[in-house]
Amino acid sequence: EGKNGESEMKGSNGDVEMGEDFGPTSAVEKFFLAQSGRKFMYSPVEKVPVIEVSNFPTLGKLTALRFIEWVQHNPGGVVSLPTGKTPEHFIKWVTHYLTNWGQPSVVEDLTGYNIDPIVKPDMKSLYFVQMDDSYPMNPTQHNCFQHYVNKYYIQGFGLDPHRCMLIDTWRVGCPDGVTAGDV
């Protein structure tokens, strides 16, 4: 805790930011916060900062841009990404940017959000940790989270499968050579 018992946060530059002066340190977050016309946090009532956007697709774009920005600054970092319907716009935008990296429209878009369009995020350098799955479920089944992770993150984003910690609920708790389908 900082002065007078206030909680403190360290920004990306290491400086301590406190209370109402606390604000986003990401260029992407600063852009979207400015677009919202709102404060990052309304103290003392709000305890968690918020960036408000007008719709779900815009939220997906914000998170995709912030993710790309983070990967540029944290090659070799550890990520755990959501599955299901929630991240559909996030996945759409990340895939769009990665697939079209270097195209004039993408360069212009990234530059507008203060993201370096020259430095393509090194997705193969990331470590991925799967956060959940249903039990027991065959990982090849289309509604299994491991299938989702393989399709959208490993194949779609180009993550290195050897750097991924996946949950195989089809084999966990089973003797060697046996699956939940055999039980």
Side-chain angles (χ1 to χ4, degrees), residues 123-143:
M123 303 304 279
K124 288 213 176 292
S125 75
L126 297 176
Y127 289 90
F128 177 86
V129 179
Q130 183 179 342
M131 63 176 97
D132 60 358
D133 212 330
S134 299
Y135 181 83
M137 190 169 289
N138 187 326
T140 61
Q141 191 168 320
H142 78 281
N143 61 338

Side-chain angles (χ1 to χ4, degrees), residues 107-121:
V107 169
E108 182 180 343
D109 204 25
L110 294 171
T111 303
Y113 295 105
N114 295 312
I115 294 177
D116 186 348
I118 304 300
V119 181
K120 187 172 183 179

Side-chain angles (χ1 to χ4, degrees), residues 24 31 38-39 50 78 81 91 101 103 109-110 117 119 146 158 171:
F31 177 89
R38 298 182 53 88
K39 291 183 180 179
V50 173
V78 178
L81 301 170
I91 291 168
W101 200 270
Q103 296 294 321
D109 204 25
L110 294 171
V119 181
Q146 188 181 119
R171 297 194 193 316

Side-chain angles (χ1 to χ4, degrees), residues 2 4 18 45 50-51 54 57 77 80 89 109-110 115 125 146 168:
N4 303 321
M18 293 187 199
V45 176
V50 173
I51 298 175
S54 61
S80 188
H89 293 286
D109 204 25
L110 294 171
I115 294 177
S125 75
Q146 188 181 119
D168 187 351

Side-chain angles (χ1 to χ4, degrees), residues 32-42 46 50-53:
F32 280 94
L33 182 62
Q35 291 293 309
S36 77
R38 298 182 53 88
K39 291 183 180 179
F40 196 43
M41 188 166 57
Y42 290 88
E46 291 184 346
V50 173
I51 298 175
E52 187 178 312
V53 294

